[in-house]
Amino acid sequence: MTTCVFVQIRCTPGTTYRVAEDIALKEIHSELYSTSGEWDLLVKLYIPEGADIGHYINENLADVKGIERTLTTLTFKAF
């Protein structure tokens, strides 16, 4: 079974659309949204079974130029 996580991303000013495009090209997300407020993007990911969540996010998102900071929220149960 996969683990669903949400990753909020703060981008370097002026890079949000490029960052979103770079993430979309990786084809690792389920959903990707631009957002208002403190964070610029919200990504919904399904982490493969057995994968370490931290390593997966670091290996698949950390290399995207323009990401300043992330906040990951793990999910437990859908209602």
Side-chain angles (χ1 to χ4, degrees), residues 40-73:
D40 301 304
L41 298 170
L42 175 66
V43 182
K44 182 179 182 181
L45 299 172
Y46 286 94
I47 308 298
E49 184 175 352
D52 179 278
I53 295 169
H55 282 115
Y56 186 87
I57 292 170
N58 282 331
E59 291 169 1
N60 289 284
L61 285 178
D63 65 338
V64 175
K65 187 175 180 187
I67 293 178
E68 285 189 349
R69 186 174 178 177
T70 63
L71 173 67
T72 302
T73 302

Side-chain angles (χ1 to χ4, degrees), residues 2 11 15 28 30 34 36 46-47 51 58 64-66 68-69 72 74-75:
T2 59
C11 302
T15 66
I28 59 167
S30 170
S34 60
S36 63
Y46 286 94
I47 308 298
N58 282 331
V64 175
K65 187 175 180 187
E68 285 189 349
R69 186 174 178 177
T72 302
L74 283 76
T75 64

